[in-house]
Amino acid sequence: MAEPLLEVRNLIRTYGGNRSLLGGARPVLHAVNDISFHVAAGETLGLVGESGSGKSTAGRVTLQLEPADGGSVRFAGQEITGLSPRQLKPVRRQMQMIFQDPYAALNPRMRVGSFVAEPLVVHGEDAHKDRIADLFRIVGLDPAFMTRYPHEFSGGQRQRICIARAIALKPSFIVADEPITALDVSIQAQIVNLFQDLQDQLGLAYLFIAHDLSMVRYLCQRVAVMLRGRIVETASVEQIFSNPQHPYTRSLLDAIPVPDPDRPRRKRLAFDVASNIPPREAVMAEIAPGHFVLQP
């Protein structure tokens, strides 16, 4: 079996734990608590869960935008946890991120053409306007827009600009952190189609972080379900949607609105994230072994 492009093992990221200004101890928050997953070249892995489950933190730590407190991140066979910014620079050419809020990601004082060209300048590559114009065409924008400022664009256009910047260095892996959440529904479909087109053209692999399961079903090959900093189930898209094994996964699927009053719905589970998480023994007794990953 070929080595995956990205391999994350037992990744941990915590916050707090230090003394407050008044001398009291701050509680420790395990935002990412011993998670493991992998992404193959050209694959899209969906990372799903409710707000606060640790999805975005997992994406940032995977790219080493935040340091890991434990565990391992290997990219293309190279261990990247603990590397200095100078050592990470060559790796960053191959690993990029697209953020949830495109306007916050853009520099309001910078023309968007310069914004897209910035990664090329940082890495010492040719940032000629013809190359930037090609990037604009690839993401479906008129190159004449290069001289405009971010406030002159719609939300969907801003996200396309951020995507153009992310692919400028021809990376092999992109973390897309809820890239369609801030967009209108009609624009969401266009951006998801753009992700697919870029994957076909450039051979990209994605870690697609989302809570919209319908988009995950359309775009991803595998899904990892995250709850309270842990990955509780990992399976193919077909398995997740046809035969979910973990009660929390079933609860997420039951929350999907169905625009058909006559269509039968799966029985909703009484699963309270805050106080009614089943113990490991109960879950393991209910589920056939080997169908999902439940971390202790």
Side-chain angles (χ1 to χ4, degrees):
M1 182 177 179
E3 184 178 14
L5 179 66
L6 175 79
E7 187 173 15
V8 174
R9 295 223 175 253
N10 309 113
L11 193 65
I12 297 172
R13 175 60 174 163
T14 59
Y15 299 100
N18 300 322
R19 293 285 177 179
S20 66
L21 293 176
L22 299 178
R26 293 176 177 171
V28 176
L29 171 64
H30 294 276
V32 175
N33 193 359
D34 195 25
I35 68 170
S36 299
F37 61 87
H38 69 273
V39 182
E43 181 190 29
T44 302
L45 173 67
L47 186 60
V48 304
E50 61 186 9
S51 296
S53 60
K55 308 185 301 298
S56 296
T57 302
R60 291 194 298 269
V61 177
T62 296
L63 294 186
Q64 296 297 288
L65 299 180
E66 293 187 26
D69 294 312
S72 167
V73 179
R74 293 182 64 83
F75 180 77
Q78 178 185 2
E79 178 66 42
I80 65 171
T81 50
L83 295 182
S84 67
R86 188 171 187 175
Q87 293 170 321
L88 276 172
K89 186 175 179 180
V91 182
R92 295 210 184 279
R93 297 175 58 90
Q94 295 298 316
M95 305 175 72
Q96 294 292 316
M97 188 163 189
I98 299 169
F99 295 94
Q100 177 177 347
D101 185 353
Y103 192 67
L106 292 163
N107 185 338
R109 296 179 178 85
M110 183 181 288
R111 297 182 190 272
V112 295
S114 300
F115 175 81
V116 172
E118 190 173 30
L120 298 169
V121 175
V122 169
H123 287 270
E125 291 200 14
D126 175 27
H128 192 272
K129 65 178 182 180
D130 290 341
R131 184 171 180 179
I132 309 306
D134 288 340
L135 290 170
F136 271 67
R137 293 188 189 98
I138 289 173
V139 299
L141 292 175
D142 188 337
F145 293 167
M146 291 191 300
T147 58
R148 297 185 182 181
Y149 289 92
H151 71 271
E152 300 180 72
F153 295 92
S154 66
Q157 289 173 323
R158 291 170 187 161
Q159 196 60 287
R160 289 176 186 269
I161 293 166
C162 292
I163 294 171
R165 177 186 169 102
I167 65 172
L169 291 168
K170 300 180 180 179
S172 55
F173 175 68
I174 290 179
V175 174
D177 184 11
E178 302 198 38
I180 60 174
T181 302
L183 308 178
D184 295 336
V185 174
S186 60
I187 305 301
Q188 289 180 1
Q190 296 177 20
I191 297 300
V192 168
N193 287 333
L194 176 59
F195 276 118
Q196 278 197 322
D197 292 341
L198 292 175
Q199 188 172 48
D200 294 339
Q201 295 172 23
L202 307 176
L204 292 169
Y206 296 119
L207 176 63
F208 190 78
I209 300 171
H211 60 257
D212 186 340
L213 294 178
S214 61
M215 289 298 181
V216 168
R217 187 174 193 175
Y218 179 72
L219 185 64
C220 303
Q221 288 82 54
R222 290 188 302 119
V223 181
V225 181
M226 200 163 180
L227 169 66
R228 284 183 163 183
R230 297 177 182 269
I231 292 179
V232 295
E233 183 170 2
T234 303
S236 68
V237 168
E238 293 78 10
Q239 289 175 316
I240 288 288
F241 281 87
S242 64
N243 188 25
Q245 299 297 305
H246 195 276
Y248 178 65
T249 308
R250 287 180 239 158
S251 198
L252 286 178
L253 293 173
D254 285 335
I256 299 175
V258 178
D260 183 357
D262 298 324
R263 179 179 175 182
R265 294 295 307 278
R266 186 185 292 115
K267 183 179 178 182
R268 188 172 180 83
L269 297 173
F271 187 81
D272 180 18
V273 173
S275 61
N276 193 30
I277 298 177
R280 177 182 175 86
E281 294 77 11
V283 174
M284 293 299 290
E286 180 185 356
I287 299 167
H291 285 259
F292 76 107
V293 178
L294 176 64
Q295 299 186 0

